[in-house]
Each structure stands twice: as structure tokens, then as C-alpha cells.
Amino acid sequence: MILVTGGAGFIGSNFVLDWLAQGHEPIVNLDKLTYAGNRANLAALQGDARHVFVQGDIGDRALVARLLAEHQPRAVLNFAAESHVDRSIHGAGEFIATNIVGTFQLLEAVRAHWGTLPAERQADFRFLHVSTDEVYGSLAPDAPAFTEQHGYEPNSPYSASKAASDHLVRAWHHTHGLPVLTTNCSNNYGPYHFPEKLIPLMIVNALAGKPLPVYGDGQQVRDWLYVGDHCSAIRRVLQAGRPGETYNVGGWNEKPNLEIVHTVCRLLDELRPRADGQPYATQITTVPDRPGHDRRYAIDARKIERELGWRPAETFDTGIRKTVQWYLDHPDWVAQVQSGAYRDWVATQYGAAAAA
Ligand code: NAD
Ligand code: DAU
């Protein structure tokens, strides 16, 4: 049995689905079901006794203690977080509450439980913390990619809160001996990605005939990884990672945002051409830049390859095609996540006209 937090979100739900597709070890899934958490992502597991869903907060120490005592997991994997940079700019409170204080409470509950285990189970236990490359800050165009030795230089409220959580996890290892693992991953994309993030937003806006809002000059670079590859990296780190170590995870796919948007448009032109025959790229518009916008992220993923033999299975071409096709095949999911609260966010971020 493993305990996963945030398993109704984008990466967490992909992880839960992949885990149970590849083996039979059960999962307890603790998720608060914020706007980003969605039970529909886990619909395929309805009636599957290997998946126990619990709605709750990682910051609820008593609840976590009860789940640990009841289910005796061999590992806790922490995906739960507030994850959207733009939301952290509008208001950082939830980011501090979940990403920092919540991680602290979770660590304390896990530490108390771990302390009661016999020595052999203590040694085998793992706390795996899912983190981001954004903690390293922004790279100059020609700078080498982030290695695990790169200093932490977070620039957004989101990345600062994730950096703080990484430091807490590290400290609980060095001070208390908790067997922790941390992964720092680049930008993910794939099924169940909430359409506030670049790639799914572009797909759903394109199909709805809406503008495709590119921040600033669109030349910011991200290193894209198909979500299934992130999940396989996490499984591998859990299986063979050395406690106390951090592992960078990336796809060796650095691309400027504008190129990503054009790729999405080209795929839609091929797979679902516009009724008027015009290319989707005519919908691209530029909007004011994100404050404090990091110019470039790039992950040096040689450590996880060298030590654990992990490499991504998807290229960007194969992963983005699958992703666009998934959104075309799941209009009901798209309609369901674009609820009233979603429209409120679009109005806040892009203006009332964009939400209409
Ligand atoms: P997401 O926003 O899609 O999902 C987050 C999930 O956590 C949601 O299901 C939400 O309900 C849940 N949650 C939020 N607060 C909670 C709380 N207090 N208690 C319990 N559950 C709570 O995020 P994601 O994109 O799936 O990211 C998952 C993790 O991976 C995050 O820690 C994020 O920092 C990290 N990460 C994301 C990316 C990416 O590109 N999306 C890349 C690298 C790392
Ligand atoms: O690098 C890993 C991180 O990737 C994760 O830790 C975060 O949780 C995840 O949200 C993501 O952060 P980004 O800020 O890089 O992702 P986002 O999809 O919000 O934006 C990607 C790029 O696209 C970024 O340079 C901003 C730009 N962008 C985004 C949106 C939503 C636009 O140009 N227009 C948009 O409307």
C-alpha cells in the first residue's frame, strides 16, 4: 500500500491511473479537491478496491495520522500543491498554506508514524516529494541546464513556496532521519491537464474560437515532458532512489512558448480543421507579460539516467500529438472542468471578454 496526496490533480491522477494499470499494490489517495482536483480524472477506478479515495487536507495532521495508522503504507508520495504561477501572483495565501504549512504538517504526521515502526520497516519506508524545476530560478539563453547542484533562486510566490517545501523535506531527512526523496521536474503536459496552463488552454481556446493569449514576446523557454514519463520517473525514484537525494526530471525538450502554440495550432489544423478553412494560428494574440516571468528553464536529467537508468519514452512530437488527440476525444471532460469557477479565473486573468 502507498499513500498519494493530490492524486485527483493533473499529475497525481495520471500517476494513480498508471500505477494501478501496471501493478496491484493499492493506493490511498488523499486530496482536498480544490478547483484543480477532479474525481472525474479517476472515473476509470470506480468500484476498484485497490483505490481508496479520501477527501481531506495534507495540513490536517490528525487525518493523516489516522490514514497512516489504518493503512500502514510503505511510502507517502506528496503531489498535493497549489500549482499555478499566475494564481500565486494574484494571491499567495493558499500557496503558503498548502505548499509550505501543509507540507510541514504532512512531514510531522509521517515522522510521528515512521518513528513507531520497527527498524526494518523504518529503513524501507520512503517519503517522496514531487517538486519543480522552478525552484532553481531562470536561466540565461546560453547557460547550462539545471543540475541538482544548482542553487535555489525562486522568483514567483509559487516557486518560493515549493522551494520552502523542498527545504523542509531536506531538513526532515538531515535532522530526523526520515528517508526522503525529492524530484524536481520540468513542465508536464498530457491528459487531464487543467486548462489554465499553457498547452491545454491553447487547445480549448482554439476549439472554442477564442484568442490564444501569448504572454509578452512568447520567447520564454520551457523544457516539456509528457506526464506519463514523469510518472515513470517517480516510480523509478521510489523503487531505487537513494534516501536524501534529489533527482532532476526532464524531457530534453526545450522550446519557446510561441513554437508550442504554433505546434498545437498545426495539429488542430490537421486533426480538426476550422469550419472556415482558416488556420488556428490566426487566433494567436499577445497579451501583457506575466510579472517576474522566468525566461528559461532547462533540466539536466543525466543523474537520474546514470544512477537509475530512467529516460523519457516520448518525444515531444509523439507526446503532443497524443495530448491534442486526447482533448479532442474528451469534450465532456473539457466541458465539465470549465465550470463557473473556471470562468471566474479566466475573467480575472485575461479580462471579462475572454470568459464570455
Ligand atoms: P494540480 O494543481 O493539477 O493538482 C494539485 C492537486 O492537489 C489537486 O488535486 C488538488 O485538489 C490537490 N490539493 C491542493 N491542495 C491540497 C491540500 N491542502 N491537501 C490535499 N490536496 C490538495 O497540480 P499538478 O500539475 O498535478 O502538480 C502536482 C505536483 O507536481 C505539484 O506539487 C507541482 O508543484 C508539481 N509539479 C508540477 C509540474 C507541472 O508541469 N504541472 C511540473 C513539476 C512539478
Ligand atoms: O516548470 C514546472 C512548472 O511548470 C510547474 O512547477 C508548475 O506547476 C506548472 O504550472 C508549470 O509552470 P509554468 O508557469 O511554466 O506553466 P504555464 O503553463 O502556466 O506557462 C507555461 C509558459 O507559457 C510560461 O512561460 C507562461 C506562458 N503562458 C502561460 C499561459 C497560461 C502564456 O504565454 N500564456 C498563457 O495564457
PDB file of all heavy atoms in Angstrom, residues 47 83 85 96 100 105 140-141 151 187 192-193 210-211 220-221 227 230 253-254 282 303 306 312 320 347:
ATOM      1  N   GLY A  47     -15.265   1.650  -8.261  1.00  0.00           N
ATOM      2  CA  GLY A  47     -15.507   0.247  -7.911  1.00  0.00           C
ATOM      3  C   GLY A  47     -14.244  -0.589  -7.799  1.00  0.00           C
ATOM      4  O   GLY A  47     -14.317  -1.783  -7.503  1.00  0.00           O
ATOM      5  N   SER A  83      -0.529  24.884  -7.723  1.00  0.00           N
ATOM      6  CA  SER A  83       0.496  24.680  -8.750  1.00  0.00           C
ATOM      7  C   SER A  83       0.568  25.754  -9.834  1.00  0.00           C
ATOM      8  O   SER A  83       1.459  25.698 -10.680  1.00  0.00           O
ATOM      9  CB  SER A  83       0.265  23.318  -9.425  1.00  0.00           C
ATOM     10  OG  SER A  83      -0.926  23.356 -10.199  1.00  0.00           O
ATOM     11  N   VAL A  85       1.342  29.311 -11.351  1.00  0.00           N
ATOM     12  CA  VAL A  85       2.127  30.530 -11.100  1.00  0.00           C
ATOM     13  C   VAL A  85       1.247  31.784 -11.143  1.00  0.00           C
ATOM     14  O   VAL A  85       1.331  32.653 -10.262  1.00  0.00           O
ATOM     15  CB  VAL A  85       3.278  30.640 -12.129  1.00  0.00           C
ATOM     16  CG1 VAL A  85       3.999  31.976 -12.006  1.00  0.00           C
ATOM     17  CG2 VAL A  85       4.249  29.475 -11.983  1.00  0.00           C
ATOM     18  N   ILE A  96       1.059  29.393   0.390  1.00  0.00           N
ATOM     19  CA  ILE A  96       1.797  29.303   1.660  1.00  0.00           C
ATOM     20  C   ILE A  96       1.143  28.217   2.525  1.00  0.00           C
ATOM     21  O   ILE A  96       1.827  27.383   3.137  1.00  0.00           O
ATOM     22  CB  ILE A  96       1.777  30.667   2.406  1.00  0.00           C
ATOM     23  CG1 ILE A  96       2.264  31.805   1.503  1.00  0.00           C
ATOM     24  CG2 ILE A  96       2.569  30.594   3.707  1.00  0.00           C
ATOM     25  CD1 ILE A  96       3.644  31.655   0.942  1.00  0.00           C
ATOM     26  N   ILE A 100       3.672  25.126   1.889  1.00  0.00           N
ATOM     27  CA  ILE A 100       4.649  25.231   2.990  1.00  0.00           C
ATOM     28  C   ILE A 100       4.074  24.618   4.278  1.00  0.00           C
ATOM     29  O   ILE A 100       4.578  23.604   4.769  1.00  0.00           O
ATOM     30  CB  ILE A 100       5.088  26.695   3.236  1.00  0.00           C
ATOM     31  CG1 ILE A 100       5.603  27.326   1.928  1.00  0.00           C
ATOM     32  CG2 ILE A 100       6.166  26.741   4.318  1.00  0.00           C
ATOM     33  CD1 ILE A 100       6.078  28.763   2.045  1.00  0.00           C
ATOM     34  N   GLN A 105       3.037  20.032   8.021  1.00  0.00           N
ATOM     35  CA  GLN A 105       2.125  19.179   8.816  1.00  0.00           C
ATOM     36  C   GLN A 105       2.197  17.731   8.347  1.00  0.00           C
ATOM     37  O   GLN A 105       2.184  16.794   9.156  1.00  0.00           O
ATOM     38  CB  GLN A 105       0.678  19.688   8.702  1.00  0.00           C
ATOM     39  CG  GLN A 105       0.441  21.093   9.264  1.00  0.00           C
ATOM     40  CD  GLN A 105       0.473  21.135  10.789  1.00  0.00           C
ATOM     41  OE1 GLN A 105       0.855  20.167  11.459  1.00  0.00           O
ATOM     42  NE2 GLN A 105       0.096  22.271  11.362  1.00  0.00           N
ATOM     43  N   ALA A 140      19.915  32.057 -18.253  1.00  0.00           N
ATOM     44  CA  ALA A 140      20.269  32.850 -19.432  1.00  0.00           C
ATOM     45  C   ALA A 140      20.198  31.926 -20.650  1.00  0.00           C
ATOM     46  O   ALA A 140      20.313  30.700 -20.523  1.00  0.00           O
ATOM     47  CB  ALA A 140      21.674  33.408 -19.263  1.00  0.00           C
ATOM     48  N   PRO A 141      20.042  32.520 -21.858  1.00  0.00           N
ATOM     49  CA  PRO A 141      19.820  31.695 -23.059  1.00  0.00           C
ATOM     50  C   PRO A 141      20.889  30.628 -23.270  1.00  0.00           C
ATOM     51  O   PRO A 141      20.587  29.521 -23.703  1.00  0.00           O
ATOM     52  CB  PRO A 141      19.839  32.713 -24.202  1.00  0.00           C
ATOM     53  CG  PRO A 141      19.506  34.017 -23.567  1.00  0.00           C
ATOM     54  CD  PRO A 141      19.952  33.954 -22.147  1.00  0.00           C
ATOM     55  N   GLY A 151      21.926  26.317  -7.389  1.00  0.00           N
ATOM     56  CA  GLY A 151      21.359  26.978  -6.210  1.00  0.00           C
ATOM     57  C   GLY A 151      19.877  27.272  -6.391  1.00  0.00           C
ATOM     58  O   GLY A 151      19.395  27.388  -7.520  1.00  0.00           O
ATOM     59  N   ASN A 187       8.307  21.224 -17.042  1.00  0.00           N
ATOM     60  CA  ASN A 187       6.885  21.370 -17.397  1.00  0.00           C
ATOM     61  C   ASN A 187       6.292  20.084 -17.969  1.00  0.00           C
ATOM     62  O   ASN A 187       6.795  19.557 -18.951  1.00  0.00           O
ATOM     63  CB  ASN A 187       6.716  22.462 -18.455  1.00  0.00           C
ATOM     64  CG  ASN A 187       6.868  23.837 -17.888  1.00  0.00           C
ATOM     65  OD1 ASN A 187       7.914  24.183 -17.345  1.00  0.00           O
ATOM     66  ND2 ASN A 187       5.822  24.636 -17.992  1.00  0.00           N
ATOM     67  N   TYR A 192      -5.765  15.212 -18.823  1.00  0.00           N
ATOM     68  CA  TYR A 192      -6.251  15.723 -17.534  1.00  0.00           C
ATOM     69  C   TYR A 192      -5.521  16.993 -17.069  1.00  0.00           C
ATOM     70  O   TYR A 192      -5.540  17.314 -15.886  1.00  0.00           O
ATOM     71  CB  TYR A 192      -6.162  14.649 -16.431  1.00  0.00           C
ATOM     72  CG  TYR A 192      -6.895  13.371 -16.747  1.00  0.00           C
ATOM     73  CD1 TYR A 192      -6.199  12.190 -16.973  1.00  0.00           C
ATOM     74  CD2 TYR A 192      -8.286  13.340 -16.829  1.00  0.00           C
ATOM     75  CE1 TYR A 192      -6.860  11.002 -17.272  1.00  0.00           C
ATOM     76  CE2 TYR A 192      -8.954  12.164 -17.125  1.00  0.00           C
ATOM     77  CZ  TYR A 192      -8.245  11.003 -17.345  1.00  0.00           C
ATOM     78  OH  TYR A 192      -8.905   9.828 -17.644  1.00  0.00           O
ATOM     79  N   HIS A 193      -4.858  17.691 -18.000  1.00  0.00           N
ATOM     80  CA  HIS A 193      -4.160  18.934 -17.633  1.00  0.00           C
ATOM     81  C   HIS A 193      -5.198  20.053 -17.575  1.00  0.00           C
ATOM     82  O   HIS A 193      -5.909  20.297 -18.550  1.00  0.00           O
ATOM     83  CB  HIS A 193      -3.110  19.244 -18.700  1.00  0.00           C
ATOM     84  CG  HIS A 193      -1.973  20.077 -18.229  1.00  0.00           C
ATOM     85  ND1 HIS A 193      -0.956  20.467 -19.072  1.00  0.00           N
ATOM     86  CD2 HIS A 193      -1.658  20.594 -17.020  1.00  0.00           C
ATOM     87  CE1 HIS A 193      -0.077  21.180 -18.397  1.00  0.00           C
ATOM     88  NE2 HIS A 193      -0.487  21.282 -17.144  1.00  0.00           N
ATOM     89  N   LYS A 210     -11.672  31.068 -29.550  1.00  0.00           N
ATOM     90  CA  LYS A 210     -11.256  32.201 -28.708  1.00  0.00           C
ATOM     91  C   LYS A 210      -9.803  32.588 -28.990  1.00  0.00           C
ATOM     92  O   LYS A 210      -9.039  31.789 -29.558  1.00  0.00           O
ATOM     93  CB  LYS A 210     -11.410  31.829 -27.234  1.00  0.00           C
ATOM     94  CG  LYS A 210     -12.861  31.673 -26.825  1.00  0.00           C
ATOM     95  CD  LYS A 210     -12.986  31.450 -25.350  1.00  0.00           C
ATOM     96  CE  LYS A 210     -14.452  31.520 -24.950  1.00  0.00           C
ATOM     97  NZ  LYS A 210     -14.662  31.254 -23.547  1.00  0.00           N
ATOM     98  N   PRO A 211      -9.371  33.783 -28.536  1.00  0.00           N
ATOM     99  CA  PRO A 211      -7.975  34.177 -28.710  1.00  0.00           C
ATOM    100  C   PRO A 211      -7.029  33.233 -27.968  1.00  0.00           C
ATOM    101  O   PRO A 211      -7.387  32.658 -26.934  1.00  0.00           O
ATOM    102  CB  PRO A 211      -7.916  35.579 -28.087  1.00  0.00           C
ATOM    103  CG  PRO A 211      -9.323  36.060 -28.058  1.00  0.00           C
ATOM    104  CD  PRO A 211     -10.190  34.850 -27.919  1.00  0.00           C
ATOM    105  N   GLN A 220       9.829  32.856 -24.101  1.00  0.00           N
ATOM    106  CA  GLN A 220      10.245  32.167 -22.880  1.00  0.00           C
ATOM    107  C   GLN A 220      10.344  30.672 -23.195  1.00  0.00           C
ATOM    108  O   GLN A 220       9.504  30.126 -23.909  1.00  0.00           O
ATOM    109  CB  GLN A 220       9.233  32.396 -21.749  1.00  0.00           C
ATOM    110  CG  GLN A 220       9.023  33.853 -21.385  1.00  0.00           C
ATOM    111  CD  GLN A 220       8.067  34.570 -22.328  1.00  0.00           C
ATOM    112  OE1 GLN A 220       7.440  33.965 -23.189  1.00  0.00           O
ATOM    113  NE2 GLN A 220       7.978  35.877 -22.175  1.00  0.00           N
ATOM    114  N   VAL A 221      11.352  30.057 -22.618  1.00  0.00           N
ATOM    115  CA  VAL A 221      11.631  28.654 -22.947  1.00  0.00           C
ATOM    116  C   VAL A 221      11.293  27.757 -21.765  1.00  0.00           C
ATOM    117  O   VAL A 221      11.654  28.057 -20.617  1.00  0.00           O
ATOM    118  CB  VAL A 221      13.126  28.491 -23.322  1.00  0.00           C
ATOM    119  CG1 VAL A 221      13.493  27.013 -23.447  1.00  0.00           C
ATOM    120  CG2 VAL A 221      13.416  29.233 -24.617  1.00  0.00           C
ATOM    121  N   VAL A 227       3.463  13.695 -19.358  1.00  0.00           N
ATOM    122  CA  VAL A 227       3.165  13.361 -17.960  1.00  0.00           C
ATOM    123  C   VAL A 227       3.431  11.884 -17.645  1.00  0.00           C
ATOM    124  O   VAL A 227       3.875  11.544 -16.535  1.00  0.00           O
ATOM    125  CB  VAL A 227       1.721  13.786 -17.591  1.00  0.00           C
ATOM    126  CG1 VAL A 227       0.682  13.018 -18.388  1.00  0.00           C
ATOM    127  CG2 VAL A 227       1.466  13.670 -16.102  1.00  0.00           C
ATOM    128  N   HIS A 230       6.893  11.543 -16.595  1.00  0.00           N
ATOM    129  CA  HIS A 230       7.114  11.997 -15.219  1.00  0.00           C
ATOM    130  C   HIS A 230       6.708  10.887 -14.239  1.00  0.00           C
ATOM    131  O   HIS A 230       7.417  10.594 -13.276  1.00  0.00           O
ATOM    132  CB  HIS A 230       6.326  13.283 -14.966  1.00  0.00           C
ATOM    133  CG  HIS A 230       6.641  13.954 -13.660  1.00  0.00           C
ATOM    134  ND1 HIS A 230       5.916  15.021 -13.176  1.00  0.00           N
ATOM    135  CD2 HIS A 230       7.587  13.708 -12.713  1.00  0.00           C
ATOM    136  CE1 HIS A 230       6.399  15.394 -12.008  1.00  0.00           C
ATOM    137  NE2 HIS A 230       7.414  14.620 -11.692  1.00  0.00           N
ATOM    138  N   ASN A 253      13.552  18.655 -23.982  1.00  0.00           N
ATOM    139  CA  ASN A 253      12.675  19.262 -24.996  1.00  0.00           C
ATOM    140  C   ASN A 253      12.501  20.745 -24.723  1.00  0.00           C
ATOM    141  O   ASN A 253      11.418  21.183 -24.337  1.00  0.00           O
ATOM    142  CB  ASN A 253      11.288  18.610 -24.943  1.00  0.00           C
ATOM    143  CG  ASN A 253      11.211  17.354 -25.739  1.00  0.00           C
ATOM    144  OD1 ASN A 253      11.672  17.298 -26.873  1.00  0.00           O
ATOM    145  ND2 ASN A 253      10.640  16.328 -25.137  1.00  0.00           N
ATOM    146  N   GLU A 254      13.542  21.526 -24.905  1.00  0.00           N
ATOM    147  CA  GLU A 254      13.430  22.966 -24.671  1.00  0.00           C
ATOM    148  C   GLU A 254      12.759  23.613 -25.865  1.00  0.00           C
ATOM    149  O   GLU A 254      13.226  23.449 -27.003  1.00  0.00           O
ATOM    150  CB  GLU A 254      14.824  23.570 -24.538  1.00  0.00           C
ATOM    151  CG  GLU A 254      15.462  23.398 -23.203  1.00  0.00           C
ATOM    152  CD  GLU A 254      16.760  24.192 -23.156  1.00  0.00           C
ATOM    153  OE1 GLU A 254      16.706  25.436 -23.261  1.00  0.00           O
ATOM    154  OE2 GLU A 254      17.816  23.571 -23.025  1.00  0.00           O
ATOM    155  N   THR A 282      -4.319  31.969 -36.683  1.00  0.00           N
ATOM    156  CA  THR A 282      -4.865  33.331 -36.800  1.00  0.00           C
ATOM    157  C   THR A 282      -5.488  33.782 -35.474  1.00  0.00           C
ATOM    158  O   THR A 282      -5.769  34.963 -35.294  1.00  0.00           O
ATOM    159  CB  THR A 282      -5.941  33.409 -37.909  1.00  0.00           C
ATOM    160  OG1 THR A 282      -6.942  32.424 -37.614  1.00  0.00           O
ATOM    161  CG2 THR A 282      -5.339  33.148 -39.291  1.00  0.00           C
ATOM    162  N   LYS A 303      21.612  12.738 -14.093  1.00  0.00           N
ATOM    163  CA  LYS A 303      21.780  11.962 -12.855  1.00  0.00           C
ATOM    164  C   LYS A 303      20.776  10.809 -12.792  1.00  0.00           C
ATOM    165  O   LYS A 303      21.153   9.659 -12.500  1.00  0.00           O
ATOM    166  CB  LYS A 303      21.606  12.873 -11.630  1.00  0.00           C
ATOM    167  CG  LYS A 303      21.682  12.113 -10.313  1.00  0.00           C
ATOM    168  CD  LYS A 303      21.537  13.053  -9.118  1.00  0.00           C
ATOM    169  CE  LYS A 303      21.465  12.282  -7.814  1.00  0.00           C
ATOM    170  NZ  LYS A 303      21.245  13.176  -6.655  1.00  0.00           N
ATOM    171  N   ARG A 306      21.864   8.195 -15.284  1.00  0.00           N
ATOM    172  CA  ARG A 306      23.091   7.488 -14.894  1.00  0.00           C
ATOM    173  C   ARG A 306      22.834   6.546 -13.725  1.00  0.00           C
ATOM    174  O   ARG A 306      23.222   5.381 -13.745  1.00  0.00           O
ATOM    175  CB  ARG A 306      24.135   8.550 -14.509  1.00  0.00           C
ATOM    176  CG  ARG A 306      25.538   8.058 -14.375  1.00  0.00           C
ATOM    177  CD  ARG A 306      26.497   9.212 -14.085  1.00  0.00           C
ATOM    178  NE  ARG A 306      26.142   9.963 -12.877  1.00  0.00           N
ATOM    179  CZ  ARG A 306      25.753  11.248 -12.863  1.00  0.00           C
ATOM    180  NH1 ARG A 306      25.637  11.926 -13.984  1.00  0.00           N
ATOM    181  NH2 ARG A 306      25.459  11.850 -11.723  1.00  0.00           N
ATOM    182  N   PRO A 312      13.045   9.476 -20.733  1.00  0.00           N
ATOM    183  CA  PRO A 312      11.660   9.595 -21.218  1.00  0.00           C
ATOM    184  C   PRO A 312      11.412   8.687 -22.415  1.00  0.00           C
ATOM    185  O   PRO A 312      12.302   8.478 -23.240  1.00  0.00           O
ATOM    186  CB  PRO A 312      11.536  11.071 -21.622  1.00  0.00           C
ATOM    187  CG  PRO A 312      12.916  11.612 -21.688  1.00  0.00           C
ATOM    188  CD  PRO A 312      13.793  10.738 -20.854  1.00  0.00           C
ATOM    189  N   ILE A 320       2.884  15.374 -27.832  1.00  0.00           N
ATOM    190  CA  ILE A 320       1.931  16.473 -28.079  1.00  0.00           C
ATOM    191  C   ILE A 320       0.806  16.000 -28.997  1.00  0.00           C
ATOM    192  O   ILE A 320      -0.355  16.399 -28.837  1.00  0.00           O
ATOM    193  CB  ILE A 320       2.650  17.741 -28.625  1.00  0.00           C
ATOM    194  CG1 ILE A 320       1.723  18.953 -28.585  1.00  0.00           C
ATOM    195  CG2 ILE A 320       3.206  17.545 -30.018  1.00  0.00           C
ATOM    196  CD1 ILE A 320       1.377  19.464 -27.228  1.00  0.00           C
ATOM    197  N   ALA A 347     -11.733  35.319 -16.341  1.00  0.00           N
ATOM    198  CA  ALA A 347     -12.060  36.747 -16.320  1.00  0.00           C
ATOM    199  C   ALA A 347     -11.022  37.527 -15.523  1.00  0.00           C
ATOM    200  O   ALA A 347     -10.607  38.622 -15.910  1.00  0.00           O
ATOM    201  CB  ALA A 347     -13.452  36.946 -15.730  1.00  0.00           C
TER     202      ALA A 347
END
